[in-house]
Amino acid sequence: MAKTENGRPSVDMGSIRTLNSSHIEDESSLGSDSEINGFTSERQADRYGFIGGAQQYSEESAQDVPPEVLRQREVKWLDMLSHWDKWMIKRFNKVRLRCQKGIPPALRGRAWLYLSGGKVKREQNQGKFQELDNQPGDPKWLDVIEKDLHRQFPFHEMFVSRGGHGQQDLFRVLKAYTLYRPEEGYCQAQAPIAAVLLMHMPAEDAFWGLVQICEKYLPGYYSPGLEAIQLDGEILFALLRRVSPLAFRHLEKHKIDPILYMTEWFMCAFSRTLPWASVLRVWDMFLCDGVKIIFRVGLVLLKCTLGTREKLKTCQGLYETMELLRAIDPRYMQEGFLVREILEVPVTARDIDREHHSQIKRWKKNRGELNFKPAPRLHGARIIMLAEPPRRQDLQQNPTIVLEVPEPPQKLNKGKEERKSKKKRSIKKPPAIEEIPNPYPLPPALPPPSSSDPSLSSSDPPPPSSEPPAPPPYSSVTPETSPETETNSNHQQSAPPTDLPAAKESALQQSTQSLSSSEQDTYL
């Protein structure tokens, strides 16, 4: 006989995993056969990678962001990721605002990893995922995981083929978690969470993101008995009284337990309920502000679906109400409308904690102690970071794509640099030659020749020589020499050289010879 609690028949949660998984299987098995998957190659995928069917409202509900705005947001997010600890501690409100506007698609995977704390967790546990991946795993969980692989987003191009890289990575992540937390094992609602993460990041990052969601954001959701999800169902129902009293009274009148309509919403973080554009926006805010975003989304859907008397006229009983909640009007799930409504819901993390304490007291009064006591829930990225302060090296961004430059271009570059340095050296040498003093200073002016000397008469000029005169030998004689020595040196300069051939004279010698000839002209 079914027990009654709070005026509603209680649901036996001993087999809720099986009931929930069968519900997921019924809805997600469509299109999972290889026969249907064979036709997907002929269809065109949308911007999110879906080939049709499961996310039919993605294109209509998506908001187009101008490219220039998207580039500006990417630059801002790159700056935040480069100084993540400072932004989270000093300017977290700005981070929250940018998450509410939507994370740029090119940086969404990296931002999710930083927000959830998975980046720090991965750096502090280097090699842990590889170690778990190499282990065989528990056979009782491996069989269940393999059966669920083809049910996760079968119309997405990453998971459309059986045994493809998407399904292989999903199997690795889920198997590693069963080894990482053997007391929890595997829950079928974890598969959509891991699949969403794998669409945006590698398998190792997706594993640590799943660990953070299961331990920090939604602790106890996937544990045996699912007591945490039942408590959150009662919290959601209590908060609905304040947000939409009309919807609260309708559900209370027909004694509809929250676990009947909110289990898949909360355990899968609305990844199987909303259009994909709305899923991404909800996850951006969820990983930033915590589980209060999940509560707000549930309250918005209940309020929009059951919040007016006209809508309640179409659902007079439990069956009609459940059908309406399973097929929510797409208008209420569009990206722009849903995000605006979420931000306007007056529910804070303090409200959730206060209601959580009161529901635990009621649980202990009616059912006794909890069988599984999870770790306390952390509300958002900033609380997670303050609870586990990271090291500076844990937040360093490592490039995911490394381009190896071939060696030959490097050698050519070195050769070019050497040639440039040689040219610079050769250019610097000529100024050193210019600094050499002239070894042939001009002598002082001579007195006019006497008329008694017949060889220096103006009427008989000397005949021009066919060869240029040789340079005079360097002499240390000062200008104050006698007239005889000067006349002797002039006669020596006029004599042609006998020891050097004229054809092999250097440019310097020619210049000095021309200088000496000019000296002779001045002497004359």
Side-chain angles (χ1 to χ4, degrees):
M1 183 175 180
K3 299 180 182 178
T4 59
E5 181 181 352
N6 297 333
R8 302 188 307 272
S10 62
V11 181
D12 183 13
M13 300 301 295
S15 59
I16 191 171
R17 284 190 169 192
T18 307
L19 293 174
N20 186 46
S21 63
S22 63
H23 173 65
I24 294 176
E25 180 177 357
D26 293 339
E27 289 189 352
S28 61
S29 60
L30 180 61
S32 60
D33 295 335
S34 59
E35 189 174 82
I36 296 180
N37 287 339
F39 293 99
T40 56
S41 59
E42 301 176 0
R43 305 178 190 174
Q44 185 177 3
D46 62 5
R47 69 179 71 179
Y48 306 109
F50 288 95
I51 310 177
Q55 301 291 334
Q56 63 268 33
Y57 301 110
S58 290
E59 294 295 336
E60 289 79 0
S61 65
Q63 288 183 335
D64 292 330
V65 181
E68 58 274 9
V69 177
L70 199 60
R71 298 290 90 79
Q72 293 176 2
R73 292 181 180 178
E74 289 176 353
V75 172
K76 294 176 181 178
W77 271 96
L78 286 173
D79 178 66
M80 286 198 308
L81 294 173
S82 300
H83 309 87
W84 187 250
D85 51 345
K86 297 180 181 178
W87 279 87
M88 292 295 290
I89 295 173
K90 299 180 180 180
R91 303 189 65 186
F92 178 70
N93 290 333
K94 194 68 176 179
V95 178
R96 176 190 286 123
L97 180 61
R98 290 177 179 175
C99 289
Q100 292 172 359
K101 291 181 179 180
I103 302 174
L107 301 173
R108 179 166 275 126
R110 194 188 307 178
W112 283 2
L113 195 65
Y114 274 74
L115 287 168
S116 64
K119 174 70 165 62
V120 178
K121 201 80 171 178
R122 186 192 68 185
E123 297 298 330
Q124 294 177 354
N125 296 271
Q126 288 285 345
K128 184 66 176 178
F129 176 74
Q130 287 76 10
E131 176 186 347
L132 298 173
D133 190 25
N134 295 330
Q135 297 181 15
D138 193 342
K140 72 174 182 179
W141 297 124
L142 298 183
D143 295 339
V144 182
I145 292 173
E146 288 179 354
K147 292 178 182 179
D148 289 341
L149 292 179
H150 70 282
R151 299 169 183 160
Q152 313 308 322
F153 305 105
F155 289 102
H156 193 275
E157 58 185 359
M158 187 173 181
F159 305 101
V160 71
S161 60
R162 290 177 178 268
H165 69 281
Q167 293 190 8
Q168 291 179 7
D169 288 344
L170 183 60
F171 177 81
R172 295 170 57 203
V173 170
L174 296 175
K175 183 198 76 170
Y177 188 82
T178 60
L179 296 171
Y180 186 76
R181 287 287 179 264
E183 67 277 6
E184 292 187 13
Y186 166 70
C187 179
Q188 288 181 323
Q190 291 175 320
I193 301 292
V196 174
L197 294 173
L198 279 172
M199 294 179 191
H200 297 85
M201 59 189 73
E204 183 177 5
D205 296 346
F207 168 75
W208 291 115
L210 177 65
V211 169
Q212 291 296 98
I213 291 176
C214 295
E215 293 183 353
K216 302 296 190 301
Y217 290 85
L218 307 174
Y221 268 38
Y222 312 103
S223 60
L226 303 178
E227 295 172 336
I229 193 69
Q230 298 180 68
L231 284 172
D232 282 357
E234 298 297 334
I235 295 172
L236 177 68
F237 194 68
L239 295 174
L240 184 64
R241 182 199 296 267
R242 184 174 62 183
V243 175
S244 179
L246 193 61
F248 172 81
R249 288 194 297 267
H250 177 80
L251 294 173
E252 188 180 35
K253 174 184 175 181
H254 295 284
K255 299 179 180 180
I256 301 176
D257 198 288
I259 206 70
L260 297 176
Y261 55 83
M262 56 80 61
T263 304
E264 187 182 46
W265 291 358
F266 279 52
M267 295 186 71
C268 300
F270 291 96
S271 61
R272 302 178 58 86
T273 306
L274 301 175
W276 199 250
S278 303
V279 170
L280 298 178
R281 295 292 298 278
V282 168
W283 275 55
D284 291 346
M285 295 183 289
F286 163 61
L287 294 176
C288 180
D289 283 331
V291 76
K292 74 177 182 182
I293 300 298
I294 302 298
F295 278 96
R296 288 183 180 183
V297 177
L299 293 171
V300 169
L301 297 182
L302 291 173
K303 177 184 176 181
C304 294
T305 306
L306 305 172
T308 61
R309 297 187 183 277
E310 291 77 11
K311 296 172 183 176
L312 294 179
K313 292 179 180 178
T314 60
C315 49
Q316 298 296 328
L318 185 147
Y319 178 78
E320 292 82 5
T321 303
M322 290 302 301
E323 286 297 320
L324 194 61
L325 292 176
R326 287 176 180 173
I328 299 175
D329 193 337
R331 295 177 300 170
Y332 306 137
M333 299 188 294
Q334 288 185 357
E335 178 184 354
F337 174 83
L338 184 62
V339 171
R340 287 193 302 270
E341 292 294 322
I342 291 171
L343 298 178
E344 293 178 0
V345 174
V347 173
T348 63
R350 184 175 298 178
D351 298 333
I352 296 174
D353 287 339
R354 187 184 301 114
E355 193 63 37
H356 180 75
H357 291 308
S358 62
Q359 291 298 331
I360 286 181
K361 292 180 181 179
R362 188 174 300 174
W363 180 286
K364 293 180 179 179
K365 181 180 178 180
N366 298 329
R367 305 188 186 185
E369 293 291 334
L370 294 170
N371 295 325
F372 185 83
K373 296 181 180 180
R377 179 159 45 197
L378 300 181
H379 294 277
R382 189 170 188 271
I383 305 299
I384 293 174
M385 184 174 181
L386 294 177
E388 298 177 354
R391 301 171 298 177
R392 181 58 59 88
Q393 58 266 27
D394 295 339
L395 297 174
Q396 291 180 354
Q397 300 188 55
N398 299 324
T400 56
I401 300 176
V402 180
L403 297 178
E404 295 183 358
V405 182
E407 295 182 358
Q410 293 180 356
K411 293 181 179 179
L412 292 175
N413 293 336
K414 290 182 179 179
K416 291 181 179 179
E417 293 178 358
E418 292 177 357
R419 287 191 221 105
K420 289 181 180 179
S421 61
K422 290 180 179 179
K423 288 181 179 179
K424 290 180 180 179
R425 295 191 201 118
S426 61
I427 292 173
K428 292 179 181 178
K429 289 180 179 180
I433 300 176
E434 294 177 0
E435 296 178 359
I436 300 176
N438 189 1
Y440 310 109
L442 293 175
L446 298 175
S450 59
S451 58
S452 60
D453 192 358
S455 63
L456 297 176
S457 61
S458 59
S459 59
D460 298 329
S465 61
S466 61
E467 295 181 359
Y474 178 76
S475 175
S476 60
V477 179
T478 58
E480 292 81 16
T481 55
S482 61
E484 289 184 19
T485 58
E486 292 179 356
T487 54
N488 294 334
S489 64
N490 290 335
H491 288 294
Q492 292 177 358
Q493 290 179 358
S494 61
T498 57
D499 54 345
L500 292 176
K504 295 184 180 180
E505 293 174 349
S506 62
L508 180 61
Q509 291 174 346
Q510 292 178 0
S511 62
T512 53
Q513 291 171 3
S514 61
L515 179 63
S516 61
S517 61
S518 61
E519 289 175 357
Q520 289 181 354
D521 295 337
T522 55
Y523 298 156
L524 296 176

